[in-house]
Amino acid sequence: MANVSLPRASGASTTVVPHPSVSRPISSAAPLPRLLHSLGDENKSVLSLMANADHIFTGGQGQDIAVWDRHKFTLKTSLRGHSGSILALELAEEKGWLFSASGDSTVRVWSTVTFLPVYILNPYLETGAGDLFSLAWNPAMQIIYIGCQNTSLQWQGFCKFQLDRHVEEQWGSGTSTPTRKVHKFFDSYPQYTHRPADLQANNFSLSSSISQGAFVGTNALINISAANVIDSAHFGYIYCMALLPSTREGTGYLAQKPAQSYYLVTGSGDETVKIWRCNPSGLNMMHSFDCQHGAVLSIVASGETIYAGCQDGHVKVLDFETRTLVRSIIVQENVDVLSLSIMQSDLYTCSANGHIHRWSSSFDCIASWEAHDGIVLSSVVSCSSDRKSFCLITGANDGFVKVWAITPEAEVNLSQLHETSALISDSDVTQGDTMTYALSKFVSIPSVSSDPNHREDCRQAAIWLKKGLNQLGAQSTLLPTREAGSPLVLGTFHGTEGKHPKPRILFYGHYDVISAPPDGWDTDPFTVTGRNGYLYGRGVTDNKGPIMAVACAAAELLQDRALGIDLVFLIEGEEETGSVGFVDAIKEHKHQIGNIDAILLSNSTWISEHHPCITYGLRGVVHSTVEITSGVPDLHSGVEGGAAPEPMFDMIRLLGTLMDGEGKVTIPNFYNPVRHQTEAEKQLYDVLSNVTQTPGSVLSSRWSEPSLTVHDIDVSGPRNSTVIPGKVTAKVSLRIVPDQDLQTIAQSLVNHLRGIFDKFQSPNQLSVSIDRTADWWLGNLDGPWFKALKAAVHDEWNVEPLLIREGGSIPSIPYLEKEFGCPALHLPLGQSTDQAHLPNERISLDNLSRGKSVIKRFLSIATNFHAPTE
């Protein structure tokens, strides 16, 4: 796995190369396999491999199959008969057979005891099969499946009734050889051998004779019939296939499958993986996965999980039962994954640059080594006859087969691996899991949306997050906003299909952060540092930490096949600068987001240090710019002082009219619509007052009462004490609450300032603009979604959560609630001392971990909510 470090920018523009993986870095705690032996000829590429307890079978560009003694590592014999490269090998161990597929468009069957040929299979030739790339043996149904260059799937059965039917269909009572056609495109087609003499007798039973060993060594010929062909099974070459036995009772689309079923999984150059249900008479397609990362070159299956190696270095982890993408492992970007092998829960990926990576059951890369001086083309895991030792056998275009001694994951102390993994820089932090490692990479991208020098960093953060969500199992993409704006990240974790429509929850967050000047920071703000149970870094609590907690919660449920809802991530990159372009982007791409039943966010902190909270209200905001100009250049106060009407005096007088002596806003009718506090709210404030030791009236003024603030007054000119500025600018904001109308309040501010200024009869000019706005939001405490979230918090923390409001604003939440017509929920994860927007921003590891658990509980409860039918 190519772990690319993320460079950090401090006050300068930096082009960030995003880390391609949210898996932990390769750890030396996992031992590298020991090379037992090298076999082969450097002049012959090893295209295919197979092994049993006693032999290693290798096929390559030569026309022979080498048989190596597995114990002595010596060449025992060669199997000769093909006239093209050996592209695939497969074992039928219960029958003592080896199947080989070749560029000569034949499949040959060999005895693994006598090493003599048993059969020659010729594909159905009406359209020409071309090269035969892949094989899979179904031991229960005694069928061999063949993946062809002409995109067809073909098969041949070896049960008695299948062979007897084959003899009747192919030979009947005559003696002629079937007519062959040469395909106009493929140059490889079968070279027929003679018809076995024993077939001349009309009363001959092929199946009974084979069962008695009559044809070993006689090149018995079988031509696959048209009934055993699916033309255009894919829209590309069928490079790989695997058999997947299923012994579980199905759910969803597999609910009707019997207790014991077999499925064929195929991968193709058309970038898809298809699942076919096997039956004695053929195949029925059940599902198709679109991998979207180049041709599918390798496939391996274990239990209910399918691993598909792709052309561009991705391995797609697919769940068979739920038809969902569980994870996308990025092995090495743009390096083809040509072979996959699995041992128990360990996955081995073999790449075109000669490297092999070992992945744990949690998709962490626990070992990597350069195995070959060339492209690794084939691999297989084999165990000894006593099943006490295992080896990984690999072949490459360097001509060598290498045998590696490997150890199952259960024998590696993974708890030590997690503790010693260099996840973050401080040794006090030992929770080396995906969530904290991914957060360290996420934070290292300085996605400061307010600084144009970091515009590219914001884009790179979006790209990284898209890939990260993809790896965790979501289907993700980027959505454009405005020109030169930061993109939205849209990612969906698809839950298991059930009898009822799945609820769809939208999780909103933001990947942009506030600036982080180094003054006041004890550590680098863009390097996550662990200290005394906290993670420090810009964005760890606002909002990158909560994003990763929710994403990992969904990924864990998905991995456990326990995600019963669709969780839609909508992560923007300009929240800290007013969400410019957000509304227009949502309207344009709403069809891609789909229907939404509830909205969830986590973008604030608790009111205290130790008591979990749920936020149910936010104030709205109106940001404005007030500008007064004289229309002339700046003047010298020693020359013009006292003679020129100064814009500064007008500004001071004007701003002074916005508040009375008691601190009340003087805009007409400003307070009239304000909703009065209920008795229930007063009781809530009493509880919060006891917890925070803050008077309830103070909390109420912060959260549920409107306010006005003058943030800044700026002047033109050099700002020294001898200049009369020709232009004075002030930044003014209003915080609004239920039931003030946003547009009415904004217009009232403009009207009030203009009306007062007109009374000044000043020669200066006034300009008032509304820069950005956000409406207030109040949640429904009695709704089922809120009750579900409250129950999840209670079950995790074993206390009733405090119900709080916030004095700040999140522009996107009231908009999303209205746009999708569903309730919003706000779950803060951080503590009151997290220092969001300030130096030494931090989040508690315990809060992060338990916050993830709360999300898992909430999503599990939400599984029981049935989405409305369309």
Side-chain angles (χ1 to χ4, degrees), residues 121-296:
L121 304 183
N122 290 316
Y124 177 65
L125 293 175
E126 185 63 32
T127 58
D131 294 344
L132 308 183
F133 288 116
S134 51
L135 295 168
W137 170 250
N138 186 330
M141 299 179 186
Q142 301 284 286
I143 296 174
I144 188 70
Y145 301 99
I146 308 163
C148 305
Q149 186 181 17
N150 74 338
T151 75
S152 71
L153 262 179
Q154 305 195 21
W155 61 92
Q156 177 59 50
F158 291 88
C159 294
K160 181 180 185 300
F161 83 92
Q162 293 167 319
L163 291 174
D164 283 343
R165 184 180 65 183
H166 166 83
V167 172
E168 179 68 25
E169 290 177 351
Q170 178 170 316
W171 302 107
S173 60
T175 60
S176 62
T177 301
T179 303
R180 297 175 294 127
K181 293 184 179 180
V182 179
H183 192 268
K184 64 180 180 181
F185 176 75
F186 302 120
D187 59 3
S188 50
Y189 57 90
Q191 303 298 313
Y192 279 105
T193 59
H194 64 279
R195 179 185 183 188
D198 294 348
L199 293 177
Q200 304 292 337
N202 291 336
N203 61 354
F204 169 75
S205 173
L206 179 62
S207 58
S208 61
S209 298
I210 288 299
S211 66
Q212 299 167 13
F215 280 138
V216 174
T218 63
N219 285 347
L221 181 66
I222 298 176
N223 290 306
I224 295 175
S225 71
N228 290 8
V229 178
I230 297 177
D231 290 316
S232 300
H234 283 268
F235 295 108
Y237 300 166
I238 302 176
Y239 287 118
C240 49
M241 58 175 63
L243 194 74
L244 185 67
S246 178
T247 56
R248 297 171 56 184
E249 287 297 327
T251 58
Y253 87 109
L254 294 176
Q256 303 303 317
K257 75 176 192 275
Q260 178 68 50
S261 301
Y262 284 86
Y263 295 84
L264 181 69
V265 185
T266 58
S268 170
D270 63 5
E271 303 188 13
T272 66
V273 170
K274 292 187 177 182
I275 298 176
W276 310 80
R277 183 170 178 174
C278 304
N279 57 68
S281 60
L283 296 167
N284 300 106
M285 197 184 83
M286 303 296 296
H287 188 66
S288 178
F289 294 96
D290 189 356
C291 291
Q292 299 180 337
H293 283 93
V296 180

Side-chain angles (χ1 to χ4, degrees), residues 532-548:
N532 299 326
Y534 288 87
L535 300 179
Y536 289 81
R538 177 58 84 220
V540 291
T541 194
D542 182 22
N543 185 231
K544 294 180 177 180
I547 289 173
M548 296 316 306

